[in-house]
Amino acid sequence: GAGVSQTPSNKVTEKGKYVELRCDPISGHTALYWYRQSLGQGPEFLIYFQGTGAADDSGLPNDRFFAVRPEGSVSTLKIQRTERGDSAVYLCASSAQGVGEQFFGPGTRLTVL
Amino acid sequence: AQSVTQLGSHVSVSEGALVLLRCNYSSSVPPYLFWYVQYPNQGLQLLLKYTTGATLVKGINGFEAEFKKSETSFHLTKPSAHMSDAAEYFCAVSEAGGFKTIFGAGTRLFVKA
């Protein structure tokens, strides 16, 4: 595709449920980032992948959050036992190299009831 | 730890007037600095970036920013605002050679006719 895509665009779930959010980066981009953006705030760094490995996961808030990128392309952000405070827009970005321009997807709006 | 402070959550200017959006950063190592823009219902896109070299950087749509190390600032300017500039603007910092990017809270720019 032409840009970064994220699915679903909206996800509504109940407290305690498990959710998966998917990111398809731009083809050939080796670097992939996940961010969380709460209302009125800037994107908050969660995790960065270079290829298949998580090079920096220091932004994951706790062990309920986990992300994978098994083949170095598509990535999935997984949230276990969701809490109302997890409600936010989850953004994915990719870049051709680690410190190059990041291209952002449209985000997944997660609502935990 | 790195941080970014954007002064003013909302800025309003008249069409044709100077746009000045303020950004101050904190970094213990040489920073890379970025400005991103988010138009309504669109993803973030890069306006401009400073990595090394010339401290005055020019970006898209007539925007520019100057890296001032002594002031730890990276303010964004545009000589003449256009209605289409109305959007949310985010300043961001990462360590030189690093990947974790820290965003400010954002400044929403309003342009009055």
Side-chain angles (χ1 to χ4, degrees), chain B residues 30-98:
Chain B
Y32 285 178
L33 295 159
F34 309 84
W35 277 98
Y36 283 83
V37 61
Q38 188 170 33
Y39 297 104
N41 300 315
Q42 295 186 30
L44 285 103
Q45 64 181 86
L46 183 69
L47 264 182
L48 49 78
K49 66 179 179 182
Y50 167 80
T51 53
T52 59
T55 56
L56 181 64
V57 293
K58 296 184 185 300
I60 61 172
N61 301 335
F63 284 93
E64 62 182 37
E66 186 171 10
F67 168 54
K68 292 188 176 181
K69 184 178 179 181
S70 62
E71 298 177 9
T72 61
S73 69
F74 192 57
H75 301 331
L76 182 71
T77 60
K78 181 174 180 177
S80 177
H82 192 274
M83 297 295 287
S84 61
D85 294 327
E88 183 125 32
Y89 292 80
F90 295 94
C91 181
V93 63
S94 67
E95 292 182 5

Side-chain angles (χ1 to χ4, degrees), chain A residues 72-83:
Chain A
S73 177
V74 170
S75 176
T76 304
L77 178 65
K78 307 180 180 193
I79 310 174
Q80 298 177 320
R81 305 182 303 281
T82 51
E83 300 177 356

Side-chain angles (χ1 to χ4, degrees), chain A:
Chain A
V4 178
S5 62
Q6 294 186 245
T7 54
S9 56
N10 281 282
K11 176 71 177 178
V12 180
T13 191
E14 294 180 344
K15 180 175 178 294
K17 298 291 188 181
Y18 168 83
V19 297
E20 290 189 351
L21 311 179
R22 176 188 169 106
C23 172
D24 278 271
I26 292 172
S27 178
H29 280 190
T30 58
L32 185 146
Y33 303 76
W34 282 100
Y35 296 88
R36 177 170 68 176
Q37 187 173 20
S38 300
L39 195 63
Q41 299 296 316
E44 173 193 8
F45 172 84
L46 296 178
I47 187 170
Y48 159 72
F49 287 90
Q50 182 62 257
T52 60
D56 187 341
D57 65 357
S58 62
L60 294 178
N62 51 58
D63 61 6
R64 296 187 297 106
F65 288 74
F66 189 71
V68 295
R69 195 186 185 199
E71 298 179 356
S73 177
V74 170
S75 176
T76 304
L77 178 65
K78 307 180 180 193
I79 310 174
Q80 298 177 320
R81 305 182 303 281
T82 51
E83 300 177 356
R84 293 194 179 90
D86 298 335
S87 296
V89 176
Y90 288 81
L91 299 171
C92 176
S94 69
S95 67
Q97 52 186 333
V99 292
E101 175 182 355
Q102 294 181 37
F103 294 83
F104 282 81
T108 294
R109 183 175 297 278
L110 175 66
T111 303
V112 182
L113 301 178

